């Protein structure tokens, strides 16, 4: 009998519950905004619900974000047990990437990044190679982001975190001028520019782990390109701060930007506006996504609702600036292309060639 199709929810991640809590937090957090007045600053209008928080100062903005890696390091643990190889240098880069890629969506380049590494037992750090790889990878991620590694926290949480596990997260901050802010002033006729991912990056790993459990050879199952499934999952993420910097240098004004992680391509309609985001240029996704869809199995619509499907970052620009934005991405070392346009209509994401449409009620992060 064939395996039943999998979904992110069946794997244990229910976005409806998670997003409901996020909205509750936003409501509670709004009651603390008056506290900023005592510091001579104020909350930037429209910042609630975005990937990074902005505080407006007299001459610019301070940006702050906190983010977690998720369960990708559990794949690294399994692969180390299977192969004897540490993948924690990649994991260090991933941890920085998932933080910084959120920060830059508002137009701010990171100044400082901090690590939060919670373990179930302090002996986790006694495995010197793994610990060194994590530290060196995190530092490499910071260098790629153009930021200093400013510090962090390493609590031992026996009874809360499993004994052999580590929970990786962190925060980043930066500052920028008022002219550099990405404001979300998207309108019909604007172009949608996609920047390629390196693979799964940092989202959907819980579902990938469930798939590995179904495979006779688990993470060592060979894909059609000859690579092991587990190795492909651990390709380090791209960092997109260099794209933001390249756009600044080239004078390209980004109207909005999205880090394509949780919620997959549904994230393209994160703005709270009645606009339709129509994607007409689809590139073949990485082999790892084809493997996940086939071997899961995972329905195609679920794939685009969960994974980045080869797109790690999205920029929205005026149509006349689209080619220049693509060139800026390529100068920064990213594959990029004009993928679609913004049109008048209900809030939705449409992928006509695949017959997929995500409605407004399928993304409720505000």
């Amino acid at each position: 009998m064939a395996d039943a199709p999998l979904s992110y929810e069946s794997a244990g991640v229910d976005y409806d519950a998670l997003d409901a809590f996020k909205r509750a937090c936003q409501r509670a957090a709004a009651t603390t905004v008056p506290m900023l007045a005592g510091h001579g600053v104020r909350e930037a209008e429209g910042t609630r619900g975005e990937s990074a928080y902005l505080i407006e100062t007299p001459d610019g903005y301070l940006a702050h974000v906190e983010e977690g890696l998720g369960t990708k390091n559990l794949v690294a643990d399994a692969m180390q047990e299977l192969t004897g190889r540490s993948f924690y240098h990649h994991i260090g880069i991933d941890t920085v990437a998932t933080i910084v890629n959120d920060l830059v969506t508002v137009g701010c380049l990171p100044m400082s990044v901090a690590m939060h590494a919670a373990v179930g037992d302090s002996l986790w750090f006694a495995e010197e190679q793994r610990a060194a790889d994590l530290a060196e990878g995190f530092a490499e991620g910071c260098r790629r982001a153009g930021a200093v590694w400013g510090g962090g926290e390493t609590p031992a949480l026996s009874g809360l975190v499993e004994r052999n596990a580590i929970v990786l997260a962190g925060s980043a901050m930066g500052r920028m001028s008022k002219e550099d802010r990405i404001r979300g002033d998207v309108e019909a006729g604007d172009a949608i520019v996609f920047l390629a991912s390196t693979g799964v990056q940092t989202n959907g790993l819980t579902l990938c782990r469930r798939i590995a459990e179904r495979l006779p050879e688990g993470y060592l199952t060979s894909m059609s390109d000859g690579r092991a499934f587990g190795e492909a999952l651990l390709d380090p993420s791209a960092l997109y701060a260099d794209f933001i910097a390249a756009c600044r240098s080239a004078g390209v004004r980004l109207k909005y930007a999205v880090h394509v992680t949780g919620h997959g391509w549904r994230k393209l309609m994160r703005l709270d506006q009645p606009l339709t985001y129509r994607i007409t240029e689809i590139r073949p996704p990485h082999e790892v996504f084809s493997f996940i869809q086939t071997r899961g199995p995972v329905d195609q619509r679920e794939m685009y609702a969960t994974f980045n499907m080869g797109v790690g970052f999205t920029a929205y620009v005026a149509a006349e600036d689209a080619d220049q934005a693509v060139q800026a991405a390529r100068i920064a070392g990213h594959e990029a292309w004009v993928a679609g346009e913004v049109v008048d209509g209900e809030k939705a994401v449409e992928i006509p060639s695949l017959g997929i449409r995500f409605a407004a009620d399928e993304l409720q992060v505000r």
Side-chain angles (χ1 to χ4, degrees):
M1 180 181 296
D3 288 327
L6 288 173
S7 68
Y8 211 19
E9 183 174 354
S10 70
V13 181
D14 182 352
Y15 273 131
D16 288 342
L18 292 171
D19 292 342
F21 179 66
K22 291 177 183 178
R23 295 193 299 273
C25 288
Q26 289 175 36
R27 291 191 295 271
T31 67
T32 69
V33 172
M35 302 299 101
L36 290 173
H39 300 279
V41 295
R42 63 182 182 180
E43 180 177 282
E45 184 179 356
T47 192
R48 293 285 173 186
E50 293 299 326
S51 293
Y53 182 68
L54 286 177
I55 295 173
E56 186 174 356
T57 69
D59 59 352
Y61 296 99
L62 300 174
H64 177 255
V65 68
E66 191 278 339
E67 187 55 83
L69 177 66
T71 64
K72 188 169 185 176
N73 56 294
L74 292 180
V75 180
D77 292 341
M79 284 294 287
Q80 184 165 2
E81 184 174 345
L82 290 167
T83 68
R85 176 184 171 192
S86 167
F87 289 85
Y88 267 82
H89 187 273
H90 293 358
I91 292 297
I93 294 172
D94 282 319
T95 306
V96 176
T98 200
I99 300 164
V100 165
N101 289 341
D102 271 5
L103 187 76
V104 301
T105 61
V106 297
C108 190
L109 298 176
M111 180 187 306
S112 176
V113 181
M115 174 196 281
H116 190 274
V119 295
D121 190 311
S122 56
L123 288 177
W124 192 96
F125 299 107
E127 188 173 325
E128 294 182 2
Q129 186 61 58
R130 181 177 62 183
D133 287 347
L134 174 59
E136 290 167 6
F138 199 91
E140 175 63 22
C142 290
R143 288 191 291 270
R144 293 185 188 183
V148 65
W149 179 357
E153 174 70 1
T154 54
L157 305 176
S158 177
L160 186 60
V161 177
E162 291 187 10
R163 183 176 182 275
N164 296 319
I166 185 168
V167 179
L168 290 165
S171 62
M173 60 165 290
R175 64 182 181 185
M176 63 179 169
S177 69
K178 293 190 176 181
E179 293 74 22
D180 288 329
R181 181 183 176 184
I182 297 174
R183 296 182 174 273
D185 52 342
V186 175
E187 57 188 347
D190 287 342
I192 301 171
V193 175
F194 279 173
L195 278 70
S197 70
T198 58
V200 170
Q201 300 206 148
T202 59
N203 190 66
L205 275 301
T206 298
L207 180 52
C208 296
R209 289 166 45 227
R210 181 64 60 86
I211 292 170
E213 292 172 359
R214 289 184 167 192
L215 301 172
E217 296 182 76
Y219 291 116
L220 296 182
T221 304
S222 292
M223 304 190 306
S224 62
D225 61 4
R227 299 185 73 199
F229 178 46
E231 182 180 357
L233 291 177
L234 291 168
D235 286 338
S237 304
L239 285 96
Y240 300 101
D242 51 5
F243 166 66
I244 301 299
C247 286
R248 279 192 193 178
S249 296
V252 178
R253 191 175 82 84
L254 302 180
K255 291 190 167 188
Y256 197 58
V258 171
H259 180 202
V260 186
T261 53
H263 304 87
W265 285 26
R266 291 177 290 171
K267 210 61 156 297
L268 302 183
M269 58 176 170
R270 183 168 193 149
L271 269 175
D272 194 19
Q273 295 182 18
L275 293 167
T276 299
Y277 306 90
R278 185 168 295 154
I279 307 304
T280 54
E281 181 64 28
I282 306 295
R283 298 285 176 90
H286 301 76
E287 169 59 23
V288 68
F289 294 116
S290 299
F291 183 91
I292 290 167
Q293 184 172 350
T294 302
R295 300 301 294 270
V298 180
D299 175 79
Q300 185 177 61
R301 192 177 195 281
E302 178 70 18
M303 291 293 297
Y304 282 86
T306 299
F307 296 101
N308 70 60
M309 298 304 287
V311 179
F313 201 80
T314 302
Y316 302 75
V317 297
E320 61 268 23
D321 294 333
D323 289 341
Q324 199 173 6
V326 169
Q327 181 62 20
R330 291 173 178 169
I331 288 172
H334 303 283
E335 180 186 357
W337 65 98
V338 179
E341 66 174 336
V342 181
V343 299
D344 284 319
E346 297 179 350
K347 182 178 177 180
V349 176
E350 295 180 349
I351 316 172
S353 64
L354 301 180
I356 293 174
R357 185 179 191 273
F358 297 119
D361 62 0
E362 295 181 78
L363 182 75
Q364 300 188 49
V365 295
R366 296 178 184 270

